[in-house]
Amino acid sequence: MSESATSGVRAMSVAAAFAGMRGVAPVVFRAGCPDCRGRFELAASALRLAIGASSRTTFYSFTCPDCGAVVRKPAGERIVELLTGGGVSTLRLHSTL
């Protein structure tokens, strides 16, 4: 490693920075089914997020692993932030005016 005379920062290669990391744990989300009242964890791939023009048209959905019901729940700003940050597939809904 070398040290920059002007900044006092040590240079480090990407390989050295990530040496020892074995992998990243997959993101899981806790959810519940309003039909069977089941509580479970879902991978990002099991969820879908639809972002509409208003809060009424912004929601996430999934299929309950316990009873098979299709569940659709509203998604506020914080939920949208968490789901998109966790890798959930997102569909942007556009109005046709």
Side-chain angles (χ1 to χ4, degrees):
M1 284 192 237
S2 65
E3 186 170 323
S4 170
T6 58
S7 67
V9 176
R10 291 179 184 228
M12 180 181 289
S13 71
V14 172
F18 290 101
M21 287 186 70
R22 300 192 193 279
V24 178
V27 176
V28 292
F29 298 93
R30 284 190 231 154
C33 177
D35 288 355
C36 72
R37 299 204 180 273
R39 308 286 300 162
F40 37 82
E41 291 183 342
L42 297 171
S45 60
L47 295 152
R48 298 288 177 263
L49 174 63
I51 300 176
S54 71
S55 59
R56 274 191 19 218
T57 57
T58 300
F59 61 91
Y60 66 99
S61 62
F62 58 90
T63 301
C64 175
D66 293 342
C67 71
V70 177
V71 179
R72 178 176 162 166
K73 294 187 175 186
E77 287 182 32
R78 180 70 177 137
I79 297 295
V80 169
E81 183 180 316
L82 291 170
L83 294 177
T84 55
V88 172
S89 294
T90 303
L91 173 66
R92 296 203 180 269
L93 306 175
H94 299 281
S95 63
T96 54
L97 294 176

